[in-house]
Amino acid sequence: MATAALAGRAAAAIGDGAHVPVLVIGTGYGGSVAALRLAQAGVDVHMVEMGMAWDTPGTDGKIFANTKTPDYRSYWLRTRTKQPISSFLGFPIDKDVPRYTGILDAEEFSGIIVYQGRGVGGGSLVNGGMAVTPKRENFGAILPSVSADEMYGTYYPRANSELGVNNVDPAWWETVDCYQYSRVGRKHAQRSGFAFTLVPNAYDMNYMKQEAAGSAPQSAVAGELLYGNNYGKKSLPKTYLAKAKATGRVQISPLHRVTSVTPAGTRYTVVIEQLTSDGTVSATKTVTADRVFFAAGSVGTSKLLTKLKATGALSNLNGEVGKGWGDNGNVMVGRANHMWDPTGAVQTSIPTAGIDNWAAGGAFAEVAPLPTGIETYASFYLSITKNPNRAQFSWNAAANRVDLNWQTAWKQPAINMAKTIFDKINSTEGTIYRTDLFGGTKTWGDHLTYHPLGGAVLNKATDNYGRLHGYAGLYVIDGALVPGNTSVNPFVTITALAERNIEKIIATDF
Ligand code: FAE
């Protein structure tokens, strides 16, 4: 563990008392776009990231742990794993792990567990890479104050290009063993009359061909995903952040967590805790910045802003801060197939397909892998639904923390929308739901989300480009801007919106 523990410390960390022109909180999609474009415009940027650098191998010679064998690297400051699928065939599969600043945070609020990536690259380190541009006819409901012409003409193409988004070769997909689960998903969708689409991904599909053929080290095909991919994934450290660092104007401090931002004349004072790999605060630093970009993710940014407003540090923030948070309608479910419909013992962890019943039933279902290494006869899905429920963050002074008032019962509309697809498929196929995946005899994975969105919504908590109301020089540039739903997987939209906003901000504010 010693070498991995050093990983976060290897980079040049920000010094106590430093002054920087721009400080970016977080190194996910929004933060990476801001850093690259500001640096290209000649501005020096310091990025502060609470997670590790993930650039140094661990005890097994690999940087990241396999999804099938979680270890100390897998979870953010937990002593027991909190796997999204918590049981299999009725047996619990969570296990004890050493407390460590691991890569996946299962952050628990009263009614929902929010999964998030921790480390340089944010969610890009742990996500499925599904790079989906929403259908244009749905865009007005996603970001009503943003020009669809500009997004579809300029910013979505720019985001897709920078993220290295590519498509699976359909001829290969039709025949390769590791996508049998997707083809079964297609057969069942089409036999029930649903539209089925192959979707782009940020994983290098040519690399996956090589690993499936045995000519390159395996990552996706070996089931790596939730705790990082050792190969193949075009995560932010290989795309936006690599380009940003190459400018020579971007520094990153991993294992540093921002706790406070307050005005100091025309600048801002930022308080930062430096962490060791067991989560201990080893130093507290105070720096100043001319401008601060909140890019700590929907939950991270919302929690900071809610606390700072309530405690008086940023009391001029408006009443929209903390509001409009949604789970992108996420709900999971498994179906038990017949013995003559195997989904494959080898399943690549990278999903490439979805069932589109958005217009008629309010659900877009990703055909997800269940890479257990054995034949499960199961089909598994992560649905994104039009769930209208929205929650609010609030400061709990007594407990010294930010709460979120989401209730598990608020997932019922999502379940109902997902059922418009899966009840029909079960009826056509003569199959049933799996009840052995989420503990007890639970059918629906309604206790979690992978897609937190909102909490500092564009054109409400901020102006129409992410400038926070009440403070010149403070910006939001991440998933907190998106009002709770994107109709598809969110990171392409978060990236494209960040590209749009930073272009305007550089042109007018710098
Ligand atoms: P994010 O990427 O979360 O970055 C925020 C960063 O800020 C993180 O690195 C934090 O550690 C850091 N941070 C937070 N608080 C602080 C603080 N106080 N001080 C310093 N640093 C801080 O934000 N989306 C898709 O489109 N397709 C998929 O296939 C997909 N699969 C997913 C699978 C999983 C398991 C998960 C968890 C997510 C998935 N997502 C997927 C969601 C996607 O990764 C997410 O929407 C984006 O990462 C959000 O981007 P942001 O820039 O908002």
Side-chain angles (χ1 to χ4, degrees):
M1 200 184 301
T3 44
L6 288 172
R9 279 179 241 139
I14 197 163
D16 188 26
H19 172 75
V20 293
V22 169
L23 188 134
V24 176
I25 309 171
T27 57
Y29 292 92
S32 298
V33 171
L36 172 62
R37 300 307 176 202
L38 286 162
Q40 287 175 332
V43 180
D44 288 331
V45 177
H46 202 108
M47 304 181 83
V48 178
E49 168 56 54
M50 69 192 268
M52 303 199 355
W54 299 111
D55 57 0
T56 308
T59 44
D60 58 358
K62 293 198 164 176
I63 292 177
F64 302 113
N66 194 292
T67 306
K68 288 176 260 184
T69 50
D71 63 20
Y72 66 94
R73 290 166 289 196
S74 303
Y75 281 86
W76 178 258
L77 301 179
R78 278 184 175 274
T79 52
R80 194 165 171 79
T81 65
K82 190 88 185 168
Q83 302 189 55
I85 296 175
S86 58
S87 68
F88 194 67
L89 298 172
F91 293 102
I93 56 174
D94 280 314
K95 65 175 206 182
D96 292 341
V97 285
R99 187 180 149 89
Y100 191 73
T101 45
I103 199 162
L104 185 63
D105 194 354
E107 188 168 2
E108 291 181 81
F109 294 97
S110 63
I112 194 163
I113 301 170
V114 185
Y115 284 89
Q116 296 152 91
R118 294 277 174 251
V120 173
S124 77
L125 299 169
V126 300
N127 68 32
M130 280 186 66
V132 194
T133 300
K135 283 192 179 156
R136 194 175 163 139
E137 63 260 34
N138 297 331
F139 186 79
I142 299 167
L143 290 161
S145 62
V146 174
S147 155
D149 282 349
E150 285 178 16
M151 289 295 281
Y152 286 82
T154 304
Y155 302 109
Y156 274 119
R158 186 176 295 172
N160 279 304
S161 159
E162 293 287 359
L163 292 166
V165 172
N166 64 153
N167 290 292
V168 66
D169 170 358
W172 179 73
W173 184 90
E174 288 293 351
T175 54
V176 71
D177 287 349
C178 62
Y179 276 125
Q180 188 177 337
Y181 74 95
S182 282
R183 296 192 296 273
V184 170
R186 174 182 61 184
K187 181 174 71 180
H188 292 170
Q190 290 181 340
R191 286 207 292 225
S192 285
F194 294 115
F196 179 91
T197 46
L198 286 182
V199 297
N201 203 288
Y203 196 91
D204 182 341
M205 291 297 172
N206 281 328
Y207 187 85
M208 203 193 300
K209 269 188 179 174
Q210 293 170 38
E211 50 179 304
S215 57
Q218 289 193 335
S219 183
V221 174
E224 290 181 352
L225 186 74
L226 280 184
Y227 314 131
N229 282 92
N230 285 296
Y231 314 97
K233 170 87 83 72
K234 290 190 254 181
S235 55
L236 290 167
K238 294 186 187 149
T239 56
Y240 275 98
L241 287 172
K243 261 182 138 171
K245 279 187 177 170
T247 64
R249 291 192 177 277
V250 176
Q251 308 277 330
I252 305 179
S253 290
L255 284 176
H256 280 62
R257 178 172 57 202
V258 171
T259 58
S260 171
V261 178
T262 43
T266 56
R267 295 176 168 177
Y268 291 91
T269 300
V270 182
V271 180
I272 307 170
E273 293 175 341
Q274 183 169 5
L275 305 176
T276 62
S277 60
D278 66 0
T280 306
V281 176
S282 59
T284 301
K285 302 175 178 179
T286 303
V287 305
T288 54
D290 296 335
R291 293 182 170 85
V292 178
F293 285 75
F294 288 81
S298 159
V299 172
T301 291
S302 303
K303 283 197 321 187
L304 271 173
L305 293 176
T306 300
K307 179 180 109 175
L308 295 172
K309 176 172 168 57
T311 56
L314 294 177
S315 53
N316 293 344
L317 294 173
N318 75 12
E320 293 292 334
V321 162
K323 290 186 181 163
W325 185 86
D327 65 343
N328 209 23
N330 278 192
V331 65
M332 289 179 175
V333 76
R335 292 181 38 254
N337 294 316
H338 296 295
M339 298 289 272
W340 59 82
D341 236 355
T343 45
V346 178
Q347 301 191 1
T348 166
S349 58
I350 293 295
T352 45
I355 303 169
D356 186 358
N357 195 36
W358 189 259
F364 173 88
E366 162 186 335
V367 180
L370 210 52
T372 56
I374 54 167
E375 176 55 55
T376 62
Y377 301 98
S379 286
F380 191 62
Y381 309 90
L382 168 62
S383 296
I384 293 160
T385 67
K386 236 184 247 179
N387 189 345
N389 286 316
R390 296 291 179 268
Q392 185 177 350
F393 292 91
S394 60
W395 175 239
N396 180 339
N400 193 32
R401 62 158 197 259
V402 176
D403 291 335
L404 178 66
N405 68 348
W406 183 270
Q407 297 170 28
T408 308
W410 291 359
K411 287 275 196 185
Q412 194 56 47
I415 293 173
N416 296 344
M417 290 168 191
K419 279 161 76 78
T420 66
I421 297 176
F422 302 116
D423 278 0
K424 184 149 184 215
I425 290 180
N426 276 340
S427 156
T428 307
E429 302 298 324
T431 51
I432 56 170
Y433 290 111
R434 300 274 298 218
T435 56
D436 62 322
L437 301 175
F438 305 113
T441 54
K442 230 166 125 57
T443 299
W444 295 94
D446 60 356
H447 55 295
L448 55 79
T449 184
Y450 284 176
H451 298 164
L453 292 167
V457 170
L458 187 80
N459 216 24
K460 290 188 170 173
T462 73
D463 76 355
N464 202 24
Y465 291 91
R467 301 178 183 98
L468 272 161
H469 288 304
Y471 294 94
L474 294 188
Y475 308 86
V476 175
I477 192 152
D478 59 13
L481 291 173
V482 181
N485 204 308
T486 53
S487 75
V488 290
N489 314 61
F491 75 63
V492 174
T493 295
I494 293 169
T495 307
L497 185 66
E499 287 281 18
R500 165 198 182 265
N501 292 352
I502 199 69
E503 190 172 273
K504 172 67 100 185
I505 289 166
I506 289 171
T508 52
D509 296 13
F510 282 81

